[in-house]
PDB file of all heavy atoms in Angstrom:
ATOM      1  N   TRP A  24     104.061 145.886  70.683  1.00  0.00           N
ATOM      2  CA  TRP A  24     105.178 146.175  71.588  1.00  0.00           C
ATOM      3  C   TRP A  24     104.800 146.647  72.978  1.00  0.00           C
ATOM      4  O   TRP A  24     105.469 146.314  73.946  1.00  0.00           O
ATOM      5  CB  TRP A  24     106.164 147.192  70.967  1.00  0.00           C
ATOM      6  CG  TRP A  24     106.705 146.673  69.686  1.00  0.00           C
ATOM      7  CD1 TRP A  24     106.538 147.211  68.430  1.00  0.00           C
ATOM      8  CD2 TRP A  24     107.462 145.486  69.512  1.00  0.00           C
ATOM      9  NE1 TRP A  24     107.153 146.428  67.507  1.00  0.00           N
ATOM     10  CE2 TRP A  24     107.732 145.360  68.131  1.00  0.00           C
ATOM     11  CE3 TRP A  24     107.946 144.511  70.381  1.00  0.00           C
ATOM     12  CZ2 TRP A  24     108.446 144.313  67.608  1.00  0.00           C
ATOM     13  CZ3 TRP A  24     108.665 143.458  69.854  1.00  0.00           C
ATOM     14  CH2 TRP A  24     108.905 143.375  68.488  1.00  0.00           C
ATOM     15  N   GLY A  62     109.925 153.092  82.411  1.00  0.00           N
ATOM     16  CA  GLY A  62     110.280 154.395  81.855  1.00  0.00           C
ATOM     17  C   GLY A  62     109.380 155.454  82.469  1.00  0.00           C
ATOM     18  O   GLY A  62     108.685 155.202  83.455  1.00  0.00           O
ATOM     19  N   GLY A 100      96.229 127.506  73.999  1.00  0.00           N
ATOM     20  CA  GLY A 100      95.896 127.390  72.582  1.00  0.00           C
ATOM     21  C   GLY A 100      95.203 128.630  72.046  1.00  0.00           C
ATOM     22  O   GLY A 100      95.156 128.833  70.841  1.00  0.00           O
ATOM     23  N   GLY A 102      95.123 132.602  71.772  1.00  0.00           N
ATOM     24  CA  GLY A 102      95.909 133.820  71.946  1.00  0.00           C
ATOM     25  C   GLY A 102      95.028 135.009  71.650  1.00  0.00           C
ATOM     26  O   GLY A 102      93.812 134.873  71.482  1.00  0.00           O
ATOM     27  N   ARG A 137      88.424 125.056  62.220  1.00  0.00           N
ATOM     28  CA  ARG A 137      87.756 123.808  61.845  1.00  0.00           C
ATOM     29  C   ARG A 137      87.582 122.888  63.064  1.00  0.00           C
ATOM     30  O   ARG A 137      87.810 123.323  64.195  1.00  0.00           O
ATOM     31  CB  ARG A 137      88.568 123.121  60.744  1.00  0.00           C
ATOM     32  CG  ARG A 137      88.475 123.843  59.411  1.00  0.00           C
ATOM     33  CD  ARG A 137      87.325 123.273  58.605  1.00  0.00           C
ATOM     34  NE  ARG A 137      87.259 123.903  57.310  1.00  0.00           N
ATOM     35  CZ  ARG A 137      86.558 125.025  57.063  1.00  0.00           C
ATOM     36  NH1 ARG A 137      85.904 125.641  58.018  1.00  0.00           N
ATOM     37  NH2 ARG A 137      86.534 125.523  55.847  1.00  0.00           N
ATOM     38  N   THR A 140      90.441 122.581  65.759  1.00  0.00           N
ATOM     39  CA  THR A 140      90.595 123.755  66.637  1.00  0.00           C
ATOM     40  C   THR A 140      89.539 123.724  67.739  1.00  0.00           C
ATOM     41  O   THR A 140      89.818 124.013  68.897  1.00  0.00           O
ATOM     42  CB  THR A 140      90.442 125.049  65.813  1.00  0.00           C
ATOM     43  OG1 THR A 140      91.253 124.932  64.647  1.00  0.00           O
ATOM     44  CG2 THR A 140      90.897 126.251  66.605  1.00  0.00           C
ATOM     45  N   LYS A 225     103.730 116.862  69.441  1.00  0.00           N
ATOM     46  CA  LYS A 225     104.730 115.812  69.249  1.00  0.00           C
ATOM     47  C   LYS A 225     105.345 115.994  67.869  1.00  0.00           C
ATOM     48  O   LYS A 225     104.715 115.704  66.853  1.00  0.00           O
ATOM     49  CB  LYS A 225     104.045 114.444  69.348  1.00  0.00           C
ATOM     50  CG  LYS A 225     104.968 113.260  69.224  1.00  0.00           C
ATOM     51  CD  LYS A 225     104.149 111.971  69.246  1.00  0.00           C
ATOM     52  CE  LYS A 225     105.011 110.794  68.853  1.00  0.00           C
ATOM     53  NZ  LYS A 225     104.212 109.684  68.339  1.00  0.00           N
ATOM     54  N   GLU A 227     109.422 116.431  65.640  1.00  0.00           N
ATOM     55  CA  GLU A 227     110.660 115.687  65.407  1.00  0.00           C
ATOM     56  C   GLU A 227     111.749 116.041  66.402  1.00  0.00           C
ATOM     57  O   GLU A 227     112.719 115.303  66.554  1.00  0.00           O
ATOM     58  CB  GLU A 227     111.152 115.928  63.981  1.00  0.00           C
ATOM     59  CG  GLU A 227     110.225 115.290  62.962  1.00  0.00           C
ATOM     60  CD  GLU A 227     110.660 115.563  61.539  1.00  0.00           C
ATOM     61  OE1 GLU A 227     111.758 116.103  61.344  1.00  0.00           O
ATOM     62  OE2 GLU A 227     109.878 115.252  60.633  1.00  0.00           O
ATOM     63  N   THR A 228     111.629 117.188  67.058  1.00  0.00           N
ATOM     64  CA  THR A 228     112.660 117.567  68.027  1.00  0.00           C
ATOM     65  C   THR A 228     112.075 117.936  69.379  1.00  0.00           C
ATOM     66  O   THR A 228     112.797 118.084  70.329  1.00  0.00           O
ATOM     67  CB  THR A 228     113.480 118.784  67.542  1.00  0.00           C
ATOM     68  OG1 THR A 228     112.622 119.927  67.502  1.00  0.00           O
ATOM     69  CG2 THR A 228     114.057 118.547  66.167  1.00  0.00           C
ATOM     70  N   ARG A 268     120.828 137.061  73.761  1.00  0.00           N
ATOM     71  CA  ARG A 268     120.703 137.092  72.300  1.00  0.00           C
ATOM     72  C   ARG A 268     120.968 138.492  71.757  1.00  0.00           C
ATOM     73  O   ARG A 268     121.482 138.659  70.651  1.00  0.00           O
ATOM     74  CB  ARG A 268     119.319 136.573  71.896  1.00  0.00           C
ATOM     75  CG  ARG A 268     119.262 135.068  72.102  1.00  0.00           C
ATOM     76  CD  ARG A 268     117.901 134.461  71.901  1.00  0.00           C
ATOM     77  NE  ARG A 268     118.004 133.018  72.102  1.00  0.00           N
ATOM     78  CZ  ARG A 268     117.105 132.144  71.700  1.00  0.00           C
ATOM     79  NH1 ARG A 268     116.014 132.552  71.077  1.00  0.00           N
ATOM     80  NH2 ARG A 268     117.287 130.862  71.915  1.00  0.00           N
ATOM     81  N   LYS A 277     124.564 135.093  66.096  1.00  0.00           N
ATOM     82  CA  LYS A 277     123.175 134.706  66.325  1.00  0.00           C
ATOM     83  C   LYS A 277     123.153 133.539  67.303  1.00  0.00           C
ATOM     84  O   LYS A 277     123.837 132.540  67.103  1.00  0.00           O
ATOM     85  CB  LYS A 277     122.509 134.293  65.009  1.00  0.00           C
ATOM     86  CG  LYS A 277     121.022 134.055  65.164  1.00  0.00           C
ATOM     87  CD  LYS A 277     120.398 133.578  63.882  1.00  0.00           C
ATOM     88  CE  LYS A 277     120.829 132.162  63.563  1.00  0.00           C
ATOM     89  NZ  LYS A 277     120.063 131.557  62.476  1.00  0.00           N
ATOM     90  N   TYR A 281     120.466 125.921  68.925  1.00  0.00           N
ATOM     91  CA  TYR A 281     121.378 125.068  68.157  1.00  0.00           C
ATOM     92  C   TYR A 281     122.825 125.499  68.283  1.00  0.00           C
ATOM     93  O   TYR A 281     123.724 124.776  67.871  1.00  0.00           O
ATOM     94  CB  TYR A 281     120.947 125.037  66.690  1.00  0.00           C
ATOM     95  CG  TYR A 281     119.613 124.350  66.538  1.00  0.00           C
ATOM     96  CD1 TYR A 281     118.463 125.067  66.259  1.00  0.00           C
ATOM     97  CD2 TYR A 281     119.511 122.981  66.753  1.00  0.00           C
ATOM     98  CE1 TYR A 281     117.234 124.439  66.163  1.00  0.00           C
ATOM     99  CE2 TYR A 281     118.292 122.335  66.666  1.00  0.00           C
ATOM    100  CZ  TYR A 281     117.153 123.073  66.373  1.00  0.00           C
ATOM    101  OH  TYR A 281     115.948 122.444  66.305  1.00  0.00           O
TER     102      TYR A 281
ATOM    103  P    DC B   2     107.825 153.389  79.527  1.00  0.00           P
ATOM    104  OP1  DC B   2     107.889 153.270  80.982  1.00  0.00           O
ATOM    105  OP2  DC B   2     107.812 154.709  78.879  1.00  0.00           O
ATOM    106  O5'  DC B   2     109.004 152.526  78.905  1.00  0.00           O
ATOM    107  C5'  DC B   2     109.117 151.155  79.254  1.00  0.00           C
ATOM    108  C4'  DC B   2     110.426 150.585  78.742  1.00  0.00           C
ATOM    109  O4'  DC B   2     110.368 150.475  77.298  1.00  0.00           O
ATOM    110  C3'  DC B   2     111.642 151.457  79.056  1.00  0.00           C
ATOM    111  O3'  DC B   2     112.705 150.633  79.498  1.00  0.00           O
ATOM    112  C2'  DC B   2     111.969 152.143  77.738  1.00  0.00           C
ATOM    113  C1'  DC B   2     111.469 151.126  76.709  1.00  0.00           C
ATOM    114  N1   DC B   2     110.959 151.734  75.457  1.00  0.00           N
ATOM    115  C2   DC B   2     111.464 151.306  74.220  1.00  0.00           C
ATOM    116  O2   DC B   2     112.341 150.436  74.192  1.00  0.00           O
ATOM    117  N3   DC B   2     110.972 151.862  73.091  1.00  0.00           N
ATOM    118  C4   DC B   2     110.026 152.790  73.154  1.00  0.00           C
ATOM    119  N4   DC B   2     109.574 153.298  72.008  1.00  0.00           N
ATOM    120  C5   DC B   2     109.496 153.243  74.397  1.00  0.00           C
ATOM    121  C6   DC B   2     109.985 152.693  75.522  1.00  0.00           C
ATOM    122  P    DC B   3     113.964 151.330  80.218  1.00  0.00           P
ATOM    123  OP1  DC B   3     114.266 150.522  81.411  1.00  0.00           O
ATOM    124  OP2  DC B   3     113.743 152.792  80.332  1.00  0.00           O
ATOM    125  O5'  DC B   3     115.125 151.135  79.151  1.00  0.00           O
ATOM    126  C5'  DC B   3     115.223 149.977  78.332  1.00  0.00           C
ATOM    127  C4'  DC B   3     116.161 150.280  77.189  1.00  0.00           C
ATOM    128  O4'  DC B   3     115.389 150.818  76.090  1.00  0.00           O
ATOM    129  C3'  DC B   3     117.206 151.343  77.540  1.00  0.00           C
ATOM    130  O3'  DC B   3     118.512 150.784  77.418  1.00  0.00           O
ATOM    131  C2'  DC B   3     116.988 152.483  76.540  1.00  0.00           C
ATOM    132  C1'  DC B   3     116.111 151.852  75.470  1.00  0.00           C
ATOM    133  N1   DC B   3     115.091 152.764  74.898  1.00  0.00           N
ATOM    134  C2   DC B   3     114.865 152.718  73.512  1.00  0.00           C
ATOM    135  O2   DC B   3     115.534 151.935  72.829  1.00  0.00           O
ATOM    136  N3   DC B   3     113.937 153.532  72.977  1.00  0.00           N
ATOM    137  C4   DC B   3     113.240 154.353  73.760  1.00  0.00           C
ATOM    138  N4   DC B   3     112.324 155.130  73.183  1.00  0.00           N
ATOM    139  C5   DC B   3     113.446 154.424  75.168  1.00  0.00           C
ATOM    140  C6   DC B   3     114.375 153.605  75.702  1.00  0.00           C
ATOM    141  P    DC B  12     114.585 144.226  65.471  1.00  0.00           P
ATOM    142  OP1  DC B  12     115.653 143.238  65.248  1.00  0.00           O
ATOM    143  OP2  DC B  12     113.347 144.218  64.670  1.00  0.00           O
ATOM    144  O5'  DC B  12     114.185 144.203  67.015  1.00  0.00           O
ATOM    145  C5'  DC B  12     115.207 144.306  68.012  1.00  0.00           C
ATOM    146  C4'  DC B  12     114.546 144.398  69.361  1.00  0.00           C
ATOM    147  O4'  DC B  12     113.762 145.611  69.414  1.00  0.00           O
ATOM    148  C3'  DC B  12     113.570 143.234  69.608  1.00  0.00           C
ATOM    149  O3'  DC B  12     113.871 142.617  70.849  1.00  0.00           O
ATOM    150  C2'  DC B  12     112.204 143.880  69.637  1.00  0.00           C
ATOM    151  C1'  DC B  12     112.529 145.321  70.040  1.00  0.00           C
ATOM    152  N1   DC B  12     111.501 146.285  69.552  1.00  0.00           N
ATOM    153  C2   DC B  12     110.885 147.123  70.471  1.00  0.00           C
ATOM    154  O2   DC B  12     111.221 147.074  71.658  1.00  0.00           O
ATOM    155  N3   DC B  12     109.925 147.984  70.026  1.00  0.00           N
ATOM    156  C4   DC B  12     109.603 148.008  68.728  1.00  0.00           C
ATOM    157  N4   DC B  12     108.662 148.868  68.347  1.00  0.00           N
ATOM    158  C5   DC B  12     110.234 147.163  67.777  1.00  0.00           C
ATOM    159  C6   DC B  12     111.173 146.314  68.215  1.00  0.00           C
ATOM    160  P    DC B  13     113.630 141.048  71.047  1.00  0.00           P
ATOM    161  OP1  DC B  13     112.340 140.633  70.490  1.00  0.00           O
ATOM    162  OP2  DC B  13     113.921 140.875  72.464  1.00  0.00           O
ATOM    163  O5'  DC B  13     114.771 140.382  70.201  1.00  0.00           O
ATOM    164  C5'  DC B  13     116.045 140.165  70.799  1.00  0.00           C
ATOM    165  C4'  DC B  13     116.535 138.781  70.482  1.00  0.00           C
ATOM    166  O4'  DC B  13     115.848 137.819  71.310  1.00  0.00           O
ATOM    167  C3'  DC B  13     116.279 138.359  69.040  1.00  0.00           C
ATOM    168  O3'  DC B  13     117.406 137.607  68.601  1.00  0.00           O
ATOM    169  C2'  DC B  13     115.040 137.480  69.125  1.00  0.00           C
ATOM    170  C1'  DC B  13     115.191 136.843  70.503  1.00  0.00           C
ATOM    171  N1   DC B  13     113.932 136.521  71.195  1.00  0.00           N
ATOM    172  C2   DC B  13     113.829 135.299  71.857  1.00  0.00           C
ATOM    173  O2   DC B  13     114.763 134.510  71.807  1.00  0.00           O
ATOM    174  N3   DC B  13     112.679 135.002  72.504  1.00  0.00           N
ATOM    175  C4   DC B  13     111.680 135.875  72.523  1.00  0.00           C
ATOM    176  N4   DC B  13     110.582 135.540  73.190  1.00  0.00           N
ATOM    177  C5   DC B  13     111.780 137.125  71.871  1.00  0.00           C
ATOM    178  C6   DC B  13     112.911 137.413  71.216  1.00  0.00           C
ATOM    179  P    DC B  14     117.538 137.124  67.115  1.00  0.00           P
ATOM    180  OP1  DC B  14     118.990 137.027  66.829  1.00  0.00           O
ATOM    181  OP2  DC B  14     116.650 137.931  66.260  1.00  0.00           O
ATOM    182  O5'  DC B  14     116.940 135.655  67.162  1.00  0.00           O
ATOM    183  C5'  DC B  14     117.632 134.626  67.858  1.00  0.00           C
ATOM    184  C4'  DC B  14     116.827 133.356  67.766  1.00  0.00           C
ATOM    185  O4'  DC B  14     115.619 133.511  68.538  1.00  0.00           O
ATOM    186  C3'  DC B  14     116.384 132.980  66.350  1.00  0.00           C
ATOM    187  O3'  DC B  14     117.012 131.760  66.013  1.00  0.00           O
ATOM    188  C2'  DC B  14     114.860 132.872  66.429  1.00  0.00           C
ATOM    189  C1'  DC B  14     114.608 132.750  67.917  1.00  0.00           C
ATOM    190  N1   DC B  14     113.323 133.289  68.420  1.00  0.00           N
ATOM    191  C2   DC B  14     112.550 132.509  69.279  1.00  0.00           C
ATOM    192  O2   DC B  14     112.954 131.374  69.577  1.00  0.00           O
ATOM    193  N3   DC B  14     111.381 132.990  69.746  1.00  0.00           N
ATOM    194  C4   DC B  14     110.985 134.219  69.402  1.00  0.00           C
ATOM    195  N4   DC B  14     109.832 134.648  69.890  1.00  0.00           N
ATOM    196  C5   DC B  14     111.758 135.031  68.531  1.00  0.00           C
ATOM    197  C6   DC B  14     112.921 134.542  68.063  1.00  0.00           C
ATOM    198  P    DG B  15     116.804 131.107  64.608  1.00  0.00           P
ATOM    199  OP1  DG B  15     118.092 130.498  64.231  1.00  0.00           O
ATOM    200  OP2  DG B  15     116.120 132.071  63.719  1.00  0.00           O
ATOM    201  O5'  DG B  15     115.781 129.926  64.916  1.00  0.00           O
ATOM    202  C5'  DG B  15     116.146 128.930  65.857  1.00  0.00           C
ATOM    203  C4'  DG B  15     114.931 128.130  66.244  1.00  0.00           C
ATOM    204  O4'  DG B  15     113.952 129.006  66.848  1.00  0.00           O
ATOM    205  C3'  DG B  15     114.219 127.430  65.076  1.00  0.00           C
ATOM    206  O3'  DG B  15     114.098 126.070  65.408  1.00  0.00           O
ATOM    207  C2'  DG B  15     112.867 128.139  64.986  1.00  0.00           C
ATOM    208  C1'  DG B  15     112.668 128.594  66.428  1.00  0.00           C
ATOM    209  N9   DG B  15     111.745 129.700  66.580  1.00  0.00           N
ATOM    210  C8   DG B  15     111.757 130.908  65.915  1.00  0.00           C
ATOM    211  N7   DG B  15     110.774 131.699  66.281  1.00  0.00           N
ATOM    212  C5   DG B  15     110.080 130.965  67.234  1.00  0.00           C
ATOM    213  C6   DG B  15     108.925 131.304  67.983  1.00  0.00           C
ATOM    214  O6   DG B  15     108.272 132.338  67.941  1.00  0.00           O
ATOM    215  N1   DG B  15     108.552 130.275  68.836  1.00  0.00           N
ATOM    216  C2   DG B  15     109.210 129.080  68.963  1.00  0.00           C
ATOM    217  N2   DG B  15     108.723 128.216  69.831  1.00  0.00           N
ATOM    218  N3   DG B  15     110.292 128.759  68.271  1.00  0.00           N
ATOM    219  C4   DG B  15     110.660 129.740  67.437  1.00  0.00           C
ATOM    220  P    DA B  16     113.537 125.004  64.434  1.00  0.00           P
ATOM    221  OP1  DA B  16     114.534 123.932  64.335  1.00  0.00           O
ATOM    222  OP2  DA B  16     113.023 125.672  63.228  1.00  0.00           O
ATOM    223  O5'  DA B  16     112.303 124.456  65.255  1.00  0.00           O
ATOM    224  C5'  DA B  16     112.529 123.909  66.552  1.00  0.00           C
ATOM    225  C4'  DA B  16     111.226 123.384  67.102  1.00  0.00           C
ATOM    226  O4'  DA B  16     110.378 124.503  67.436  1.00  0.00           O
ATOM    227  C3'  DA B  16     110.436 122.516  66.123  1.00  0.00           C
ATOM    228  O3'  DA B  16     109.889 121.416  66.836  1.00  0.00           O
ATOM    229  C2'  DA B  16     109.364 123.450  65.581  1.00  0.00           C
ATOM    230  C1'  DA B  16     109.149 124.435  66.721  1.00  0.00           C
ATOM    231  N9   DA B  16     108.842 125.792  66.273  1.00  0.00           N
ATOM    232  C8   DA B  16     109.539 126.538  65.375  1.00  0.00           C
ATOM    233  N7   DA B  16     109.028 127.739  65.169  1.00  0.00           N
ATOM    234  C5   DA B  16     107.925 127.771  66.005  1.00  0.00           C
ATOM    235  C6   DA B  16     106.958 128.765  66.261  1.00  0.00           C
ATOM    236  N6   DA B  16     106.959 129.968  65.668  1.00  0.00           N
ATOM    237  N1   DA B  16     105.992 128.492  67.149  1.00  0.00           N
ATOM    238  C2   DA B  16     105.994 127.284  67.749  1.00  0.00           C
ATOM    239  N3   DA B  16     106.850 126.270  67.590  1.00  0.00           N
ATOM    240  C4   DA B  16     107.795 126.592  66.704  1.00  0.00           C
ATOM    241  P    DC B  17     109.179 120.242  66.076  1.00  0.00           P
ATOM    242  OP1  DC B  17     109.437 119.008  66.825  1.00  0.00           O
ATOM    243  OP2  DC B  17     109.455 120.341  64.635  1.00  0.00           O
ATOM    244  O5'  DC B  17     107.652 120.654  66.291  1.00  0.00           O
ATOM    245  C5'  DC B  17     107.141 120.732  67.617  1.00  0.00           C
ATOM    246  C4'  DC B  17     105.682 121.134  67.553  1.00  0.00           C
ATOM    247  O4'  DC B  17     105.588 122.532  67.172  1.00  0.00           O
ATOM    248  C3'  DC B  17     104.850 120.339  66.535  1.00  0.00           C
ATOM    249  O3'  DC B  17     103.725 119.826  67.216  1.00  0.00           O
ATOM    250  C2'  DC B  17     104.493 121.372  65.467  1.00  0.00           C
ATOM    251  C1'  DC B  17     104.550 122.681  66.222  1.00  0.00           C
ATOM    252  N1   DC B  17     104.917 123.897  65.415  1.00  0.00           N
ATOM    253  C2   DC B  17     104.124 125.047  65.532  1.00  0.00           C
ATOM    254  O2   DC B  17     103.140 125.023  66.281  1.00  0.00           O
ATOM    255  N3   DC B  17     104.468 126.148  64.802  1.00  0.00           N
ATOM    256  C4   DC B  17     105.531 126.123  64.006  1.00  0.00           C
ATOM    257  N4   DC B  17     105.826 127.230  63.325  1.00  0.00           N
ATOM    258  C5   DC B  17     106.353 124.968  63.883  1.00  0.00           C
ATOM    259  C6   DC B  17     106.009 123.876  64.598  1.00  0.00           C
ATOM    260  P    DT B  18     102.704 118.884  66.480  1.00  0.00           P
ATOM    261  OP1  DT B  18     102.204 117.904  67.462  1.00  0.00           O
ATOM    262  OP2  DT B  18     103.287 118.437  65.200  1.00  0.00           O
ATOM    263  O5'  DT B  18     101.533 119.907  66.137  1.00  0.00           O
ATOM    264  C5'  DT B  18     100.942 120.648  67.198  1.00  0.00           C
ATOM    265  C4'  DT B  18      99.813 121.495  66.645  1.00  0.00           C
ATOM    266  O4'  DT B  18     100.385 122.648  65.971  1.00  0.00           O
ATOM    267  C3'  DT B  18      98.933 120.764  65.632  1.00  0.00           C
ATOM    268  O3'  DT B  18      97.592 120.833  66.077  1.00  0.00           O
ATOM    269  C2'  DT B  18      99.147 121.517  64.316  1.00  0.00           C
ATOM    270  C1'  DT B  18      99.696 122.870  64.757  1.00  0.00           C
ATOM    271  N1   DT B  18     100.684 123.512  63.856  1.00  0.00           N
ATOM    272  C2   DT B  18     100.528 124.846  63.536  1.00  0.00           C
ATOM    273  O2   DT B  18      99.601 125.513  63.932  1.00  0.00           O
ATOM    274  N3   DT B  18     101.507 125.355  62.721  1.00  0.00           N
ATOM    275  C4   DT B  18     102.605 124.679  62.211  1.00  0.00           C
ATOM    276  O4   DT B  18     103.410 125.253  61.500  1.00  0.00           O
ATOM    277  C5   DT B  18     102.699 123.294  62.585  1.00  0.00           C
ATOM    278  C7   DT B  18     103.839 122.474  62.072  1.00  0.00           C
ATOM    279  C6   DT B  18     101.749 122.765  63.388  1.00  0.00           C
ATOM    280  P    DT B  20      91.795 123.078  61.729  1.00  0.00           P
ATOM    281  OP1  DT B  20      90.606 123.631  62.402  1.00  0.00           O
ATOM    282  OP2  DT B  20      91.906 121.627  61.468  1.00  0.00           O
ATOM    283  O5'  DT B  20      92.028 123.844  60.350  1.00  0.00           O
ATOM    284  C5'  DT B  20      91.869 125.262  60.314  1.00  0.00           C
ATOM    285  C4'  DT B  20      92.664 125.820  59.159  1.00  0.00           C
ATOM    286  O4'  DT B  20      94.040 125.416  59.295  1.00  0.00           O
ATOM    287  C3'  DT B  20      92.267 125.286  57.794  1.00  0.00           C
ATOM    288  O3'  DT B  20      91.289 126.141  57.220  1.00  0.00           O
ATOM    289  C2'  DT B  20      93.563 125.371  56.990  1.00  0.00           C
ATOM    290  C1'  DT B  20      94.640 125.515  58.026  1.00  0.00           C
ATOM    291  N1   DT B  20      95.667 124.451  57.933  1.00  0.00           N
ATOM    292  C2   DT B  20      96.917 124.797  57.490  1.00  0.00           C
ATOM    293  O2   DT B  20      97.216 125.927  57.168  1.00  0.00           O
ATOM    294  N3   DT B  20      97.809 123.752  57.425  1.00  0.00           N
ATOM    295  C4   DT B  20      97.573 122.431  57.757  1.00  0.00           C
ATOM    296  O4   DT B  20      98.449 121.591  57.661  1.00  0.00           O
ATOM    297  C5   DT B  20      96.247 122.139  58.205  1.00  0.00           C
ATOM    298  C7   DT B  20      95.872 120.730  58.573  1.00  0.00           C
ATOM    299  C6   DT B  20      95.357 123.145  58.278  1.00  0.00           C
ATOM    300  P    DT B  27      96.534 133.519  68.566  1.00  0.00           P
ATOM    301  OP1  DT B  27      95.176 133.323  69.119  1.00  0.00           O
ATOM    302  OP2  DT B  27      97.186 134.836  68.624  1.00  0.00           O
ATOM    303  O5'  DT B  27      97.510 132.465  69.249  1.00  0.00           O
ATOM    304  C5'  DT B  27      97.196 131.078  69.179  1.00  0.00           C
ATOM    305  C4'  DT B  27      98.327 130.284  69.768  1.00  0.00           C
ATOM    306  O4'  DT B  27      99.457 130.308  68.862  1.00  0.00           O
ATOM    307  C3'  DT B  27      98.854 130.824  71.104  1.00  0.00           C
ATOM    308  O3'  DT B  27      98.567 129.884  72.124  1.00  0.00           O
ATOM    309  C2'  DT B  27     100.361 131.013  70.889  1.00  0.00           C
ATOM    310  C1'  DT B  27     100.625 130.173  69.643  1.00  0.00           C
ATOM    311  N1   DT B  27     101.775 130.646  68.825  1.00  0.00           N
ATOM    312  C2   DT B  27     102.786 129.763  68.521  1.00  0.00           C
ATOM    313  O2   DT B  27     102.793 128.603  68.890  1.00  0.00           O
ATOM    314  N3   DT B  27     103.805 130.281  67.768  1.00  0.00           N
ATOM    315  C4   DT B  27     103.908 131.568  67.295  1.00  0.00           C
ATOM    316  O4   DT B  27     104.878 131.915  66.625  1.00  0.00           O
ATOM    317  C5   DT B  27     102.823 132.452  67.652  1.00  0.00           C
ATOM    318  C7   DT B  27     102.850 133.883  67.199  1.00  0.00           C
ATOM    319  C6   DT B  27     101.818 131.946  68.384  1.00  0.00           C
ATOM    320  P    DC B  28      98.971 130.150  73.663  1.00  0.00           P
ATOM    321  OP1  DC B  28      98.026 129.395  74.490  1.00  0.00           O
ATOM    322  OP2  DC B  28      99.162 131.606  73.873  1.00  0.00           O
ATOM    323  O5'  DC B  28     100.407 129.471  73.764  1.00  0.00           O
ATOM    324  C5'  DC B  28     100.568 128.105  73.376  1.00  0.00           C
ATOM    325  C4'  DC B  28     102.030 127.766  73.414  1.00  0.00           C
ATOM    326  O4'  DC B  28     102.696 128.423  72.317  1.00  0.00           O
ATOM    327  C3'  DC B  28     102.731 128.264  74.684  1.00  0.00           C
ATOM    328  O3'  DC B  28     103.031 127.153  75.508  1.00  0.00           O
ATOM    329  C2'  DC B  28     104.005 128.952  74.200  1.00  0.00           C
ATOM    330  C1'  DC B  28     104.033 128.669  72.706  1.00  0.00           C
ATOM    331  N1   DC B  28     104.525 129.806  71.896  1.00  0.00           N
ATOM    332  C2   DC B  28     105.654 129.622  71.100  1.00  0.00           C
ATOM    333  O2   DC B  28     106.218 128.520  71.082  1.00  0.00           O
ATOM    334  N3   DC B  28     106.102 130.659  70.345  1.00  0.00           N
ATOM    335  C4   DC B  28     105.471 131.824  70.372  1.00  0.00           C
ATOM    336  N4   DC B  28     105.948 132.806  69.617  1.00  0.00           N
ATOM    337  C5   DC B  28     104.310 132.032  71.188  1.00  0.00           C
ATOM    338  C6   DC B  28     103.870 131.004  71.923  1.00  0.00           C
TER     339       DC B  28
END
Side-chain angles (χ1 to χ4, degrees):
Chain A
W24 301 117
R137 289 269 183 271
T140 312
K225 182 184 169 203
E227 291 178 9
T228 66
R268 287 173 179 197
K277 187 183 71 169
Y281 294 107

